[in-house]
Amino acid sequence: IDENSFSNISVYPNPFNTHTNVSISNAINAPNITTNIYDLAGRLIRTEAFNTQKTPAVIKKGNLEKGAYLMEIVAKGKVIAKEKLIVE
């Protein structure tokens, strides 16, 4: 995967209290992504798969408690972005 093929990755709103959106422009090279959400101790909290042809992907708060998390965005087995998430 050419990382430049993912020119704009947006996570909004962030901080969030019910859900956040992950929008990827130029996602045609990888129509499916996976998000891995980790707590600050590095424990995997949640993994979700999304079809990026239907953007944005919506990540619901669900069982995430108030605080900070790290999110990896993975396409074709390669991490294409890392974002900090704040749940209010």
Side-chain angles (χ1 to χ4, degrees):
I1 293 178
D2 178 7
E3 291 182 23
N4 294 326
S5 64
F6 301 98
S7 59
N8 288 317
I9 298 175
S10 301
V11 179
Y12 59 93
N14 192 14
F16 68 98
N17 57 21
T18 59
H19 70 279
T20 190
N21 303 294
V22 177
S23 179
I24 302 174
S25 66
N26 299 335
I28 194 161
N29 294 326
N32 298 298
I33 64 164
T34 300
T35 58
N36 297 318
I37 299 175
Y38 299 89
D39 66 14
L40 295 183
R43 291 182 295 254
L44 180 63
I45 303 297
R46 183 191 303 168
T47 297
E48 291 184 79
F50 296 99
N51 181 327
T52 55
Q53 301 304 312
K54 180 187 172 197
T55 61
V58 177
I59 298 174
K60 295 182 180 177
K61 177 183 173 191
N63 66 340
L64 297 177
E65 296 180 11
K66 189 182 245 187
Y69 297 87
L70 300 174
M71 178 177 63
E72 291 179 335
I73 301 171
V74 180
K76 294 185 179 178
K78 182 175 180 180
V79 175
I80 59 168
K82 293 181 180 183
E83 299 285 337
K84 185 176 182 180
L85 295 179
I86 304 292
V87 177
E88 295 183 324

